Amino acid sequence: MSVKEQVLETIKSAGKPVSAGEVEKLSGLDRKEIDKAFNELKKEKAIISPVRCKWEAAE
């Protein structure tokens, strides 16, 4: 499973909008890798931001 897939699964399993820091705590992944995955997921429109600095799955 790629880092991007892990980040998306972590966001989905949280059940609420989460920040990159929360994803880091929940998944144990490196923050730089999370930020890179966030950028890719934003470009793909796989995640959306309902409130500033918090993200959730677009589905």
Side-chain angles (χ1 to χ4, degrees):
M1 183 183 277
S2 72
V3 173
K4 185 169 73 170
E5 290 170 335
Q6 287 179 302
V7 168
L8 189 56
E9 283 301 312
T10 302
I11 291 170
K12 286 179 181 178
S13 66
K16 63 181 177 108
V18 292
S19 66
E22 290 172 306
V23 172
E24 182 180 22
K25 288 178 190 168
L26 293 170
S27 67
L29 296 168
D30 182 54
R31 179 61 184 260
K32 288 181 182 180
E33 293 295 321
I34 292 169
D35 289 339
K36 194 184 301 182
F38 263 56
N39 286 331
E40 290 176 25
L41 290 166
K42 285 183 236 179
K43 286 177 187 172
E44 295 171 7
K45 302 199 185 314
I47 57 174
I48 56 171
S49 179
V51 284
R52 188 167 186 249
C53 297
K54 300 275 185 165
W55 296 90
E56 65 183 10
E59 292 137 337

